[in-house]
C-alpha cells in the first residue's frame, strides 16, 4: 500500500472523540513545528528522502506523507504523491506566497498567524494576499435585475411593481 493511501486511511480512521482530538492535536503540533522551522530558517527547499525528512522532523513516514500532502499545492512543482515510498527523494521548493494563501484557504489561523512569517513576507504583502484571498471569496451576481426591467417571474410587470416591492 502506498504511503498516501496509508495516510488517508490513518486520517479517516474511525475514532472516539477523545482519540480523534488526540490524534489531530499531535499531528497539527508536529506540522506547526515543521512550519516554524521552515519559516524561522527561511528554508525554501526541503531535500532528502521521505524517511530522512520524517526523522529530521520527529515524525513517522506516514504522518510526514500527510505533511507533504498538505504542502503539495504550495510547492513550485507538485509532487506525485501516489508514487511516494520511504526511499523517495523529495526536492520540495516552497512558494511562500502560495503557502500563505493556502493557509488562509484552509482557515489554519495557527499557521498563518505564526510570528515567523515576519522573516518571510512583509506585513503589507501578507495584507495584500489576505485581501486577494477575501476578494476571491466574494460572490458577485452578474445577473442583477434593474428596477425597471421586466420581472423574472413572468408576470409582465416591471420588477419594481412586482417581486421587487
Amino acid at each position: 500500500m502506498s504511503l498516501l493511501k496509508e495516510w488517508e486511511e490513518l486520517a479517516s480512521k474511525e475514532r472516539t472523540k477523545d482519540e480523534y482530538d488526540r490524534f489531530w492535536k499531535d499531528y497539527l503540533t508536529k506540522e506547526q513545528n515543521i512550519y516554524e522551522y521552515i519559516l524561522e530558517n527561511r528554508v525554501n527547499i526541503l531535500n532528502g528522502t521521505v524517511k530522512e525528512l520524517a526523522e529530521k522532523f520527529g515524525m513517522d513516514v506516514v504522518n510526514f506523507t500527510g505533511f507533504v500532502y498538505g504542502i503539495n499545492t504550495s510547492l513550485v512543482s507538485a509532487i506525485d504523491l501516489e508514487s511516494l515510498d520511504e526511499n523517495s527523494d523529495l526536492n520540495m521548493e516552497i512558494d511562500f506566497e502560495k503557502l500563505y494563501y493556502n493557509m488562509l484557504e484552509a482557515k489554519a489561523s495557527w499557521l498563518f498567524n505564526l510570528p515567523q512569517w515576519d522573516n518571510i513576507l512583509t506585513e503589507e504583502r501578507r495584507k495584500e494576499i489576505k485581501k486577494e484571498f477575501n476578494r476571491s471569496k466574494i460572490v458577485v451576481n452578474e445577473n442583477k435585475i434593474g428596477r425597471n426591467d421586466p420581472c423574472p417571474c413572468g408576470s409582465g410587470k416591471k420588477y419594481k411593481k412586482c417581486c421587487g416591492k
Side-chain angles (χ1 to χ4, degrees):
M1 180 184 312
S2 76
L3 286 176
L4 179 63
K5 293 281 184 235
E6 285 184 55
W7 165 251
E8 289 171 341
E9 248 180 52
L10 180 63
S12 62
K13 181 180 169 186
E14 290 282 327
R15 297 177 170 86
T16 66
K17 173 139 176 49
D18 286 344
E19 290 171 336
Y20 177 88
D21 291 344
R22 213 173 13 260
F23 171 79
W24 285 108
K25 183 180 181 203
D26 182 52
Y27 172 78
L28 294 173
T29 300
K30 289 177 181 176
E31 179 188 52
Q32 181 175 339
N33 292 339
I34 296 173
Y35 282 119
E36 286 172 347
Y37 171 84
I38 289 169
L39 298 172
E40 183 85 28
N41 298 296
R42 297 180 184 206
V43 176
N44 68 327
I45 298 178
L46 285 174
N47 284 320
T49 65
V50 172
K51 186 176 182 179
E52 291 168 348
L53 291 171
E55 287 172 0
K56 177 179 181 173
F57 294 114
M59 296 176 99
D60 61 66
V61 292
V62 175
N63 280 300
F64 188 75
T65 301
F67 171 78
V68 175
Y69 176 80
I71 199 172
N72 203 28
T73 57
S74 302
L75 301 177
V76 173
S77 300
I79 292 172
D80 177 16
L81 298 169
E82 293 289 335
S83 66
L84 280 186
D85 65 43
E86 66 179 31
N87 297 314
S88 298
D89 280 317
L90 296 177
N91 184 18
M92 300 188 295
E93 185 177 355
I94 303 164
D95 180 333
F96 287 114
E97 290 189 5
K98 254 198 229 176
L99 179 61
Y100 189 78
Y101 186 93
N102 290 336
M103 286 177 175
L104 291 169
E105 180 84 45
K107 297 180 177 84
S109 59
W110 65 96
L111 296 176
F112 66 74
N113 286 325
L114 288 171
Q116 289 85 352
W117 277 109
D118 295 339
N119 298 329
I120 304 295
L121 300 172
T122 65
E123 190 174 336
E124 293 78 30
R125 184 61 188 134
R126 285 180 289 177
K127 283 180 182 176
E128 288 172 19
I129 294 170
K130 196 166 195 169
K131 220 179 209 178
E132 195 178 297
F133 168 75
N134 289 338
R135 255 188 263 123
S136 74
K137 299 299 170 201
I138 296 173
V139 177
V140 178
N141 185 359
E142 295 176 6
N143 299 330
K144 188 168 181 164
I145 302 164
R147 38 185 279 115
N148 289 315
D149 291 342
C151 191
C153 76
S155 68
K157 297 180 184 178
K158 288 186 179 182
Y159 180 70
K160 68 182 179 186
K161 297 278 187 177
C162 189
C163 295
K165 273 188 174 179

